[in-house]
Amino acid sequence: MATQPLMNTYNRLSVAFDHGKGVWIYDTDGHKYLDALSGIAVTGLGHAHPAVTQAICDQAGKLIHCSNIYTIPLQQKLAEKLTNISGMDNVFFCNSGAEANEAAIKLARKHGHAKGIDKPAIIVMENSFHGRTLATLSATGNRAIQAGFEPLVSGFVRAPFNDLDAIEQIARHNNDVAAILVEPIQGEGGIHMAAPGYLEALRKICDDKGWLLMLDEVQTGNGRTGQYFAYQHTSIMPDVVTTAKGLGNGMPIGACLAKGAAASLFGPGNHGSTYGGNPLACAAALAVIDTIEKDSLLTHAASLGQYILDGFHIELANTPYVREIRGKGLMIGIELTEAGTELAVLAKVKGVLLNITGGGKVIRLLPPLIMTQAEADLMIHTISQLIRVYAGDERDS
C-alpha cells in the first residue's frame, strides 16, 4: 500500500516554495533563490509579473471557462497575435506541449492519408524529447523514458540529429514518410542546436518529397532564443509549429500552428480540447506577448544570452571538467566531461535553481527573459565557482 498520497513520478529536491518576485523565488522558510530554470522555460517573465497577474485576476472575475462549442473572443485575439508573429495561418489551442505535439502528429497522419499513404510515418530525431503521452513518448528519442511502456505507438522513423545524409537515405527508401518532426534546439537532450543550414536543408527535402516540416518549439518558443520562435533565426517557414511553456508564464496553455496545406487538414470533429484556449489561459498569454513586445524582450534575451555565454567562457576557461559551453539567447548548456547530477542540489544550497539534463552531463540554464545584467553576473559567478569547486579546481568560499 502506498504511504504517500502523491504518485512517485518526480525526483524532487527537498525544498518547497511559497512566493516569487521577478527572477527570485522564496521557499517556505524565507530563503531566496535565483531562478535560473524558470520552471523549465515556463516563467519567462519571472514570478508574479504585474501584467500577467492583473490579466489573470481581471479575467478570473469575469469568465474562466467557456466550452469550445461557443465563440471565445480572447482565443480569436490570441490566434491573430500568434499567426501575425509567426507567419503561420491558423492555430489550435490546448493545455501543454505534449498536447500540441499530439495535434501535430495527427496533422501529419491526416496529411499522409490524404496522399494515399496507408500507414504514414514521421521522421523523428535521436536524443529528442516531445512529451510523455503515449504518442509523444514514442516520438521521443530517449529509450530510458520509453522503457516499461511498450508497446509504443508505431509510425516513427529515427534519424540522428543534424545528419542530413540519414534523412536523405530514408527519403530514398521509405515511401511511407509524411513529415519530419524536429526541435530547432534539443532542450532535454542537452541544449544541442541545429547546425547551420540544417533546417533549411530539411525544408528543401520536405518540399521535394511533399512532406510536412514540423518544428517542436515547446521550449524554444516565446522569446527564449532571442526571436519569438527559433526558426525565425533562419529564412525558412515550417508547415507546423508547436509551442507551450513560456506562452502563459505558468498558466497552462499550448498551441499547434499550421500553414498552407497543413492549415486545412483538420475539420470539425477531427480534434478538440475541453480546456484548450479557455478565456483565462488566453488572457494570460496575451499579457505575455504584449509584455514581450512592449519591453523589447526579444532583443534583451539575445544580447543578455550572448553576455552570459561570454561570461561563462571567461570564468570557466581552462577548466578541464567543462567540455563545451553552448546556447542561443537564454537557453544555455554547460556540458561536463562526466556526470554531475549532484550539481543541482549543490546549486540550490548556493541559492541558484538549475537542472541537469543530457544524460546527467549538461547543466541547463533557462533564466527569465527579464533577468538583468547584475543578476546574470551573480548567476555566472555562482555557477562557475560551483563547477570549479566540484571539479576540485578551487576551494569553496
Side-chain angles (χ1 to χ4, degrees), residues 302-314:
S303 60
L304 186 65
Q306 188 59 54
Y307 178 84
I308 292 169
L309 280 175
D310 292 343
F312 276 123
H313 276 113
I314 292 168

Side-chain angles (χ1 to χ4, degrees), residues 9 132-134 137-138 143-153:
T9 53
R132 294 183 182 274
T133 63
L134 200 52
L137 178 89
S138 300
R143 182 60 194 143
I145 71 165
Q146 295 171 338
F149 298 104
E150 298 85 354
L152 300 177
V153 175

Side-chain angles (χ1 to χ4, degrees), residues 36-90:
L37 188 60
S38 302
I40 312 184
V42 170
T43 51
L45 301 187
H47 300 283
H49 191 282
V52 179
T53 300
Q54 191 64 55
I56 291 172
C57 289
D58 290 348
Q59 188 58 43
K62 293 192 292 187
L63 183 67
I64 291 176
H65 175 76
C66 178
S67 171
N68 277 302
I69 64 173
Y70 308 109
T71 299
I72 302 175
L74 285 175
Q75 189 181 108
Q76 180 68 31
K77 185 177 180 181
L78 180 58
E80 290 170 359
K81 276 271 190 183
L82 283 173
T83 52
N84 286 338
I85 288 169
S86 65
M88 305 298 280
D89 291 338
N90 57 21

Side-chain angles (χ1 to χ4, degrees), residues 1 92 276 284 346:
M1 180 178 176
F92 170 80
L346 297 173

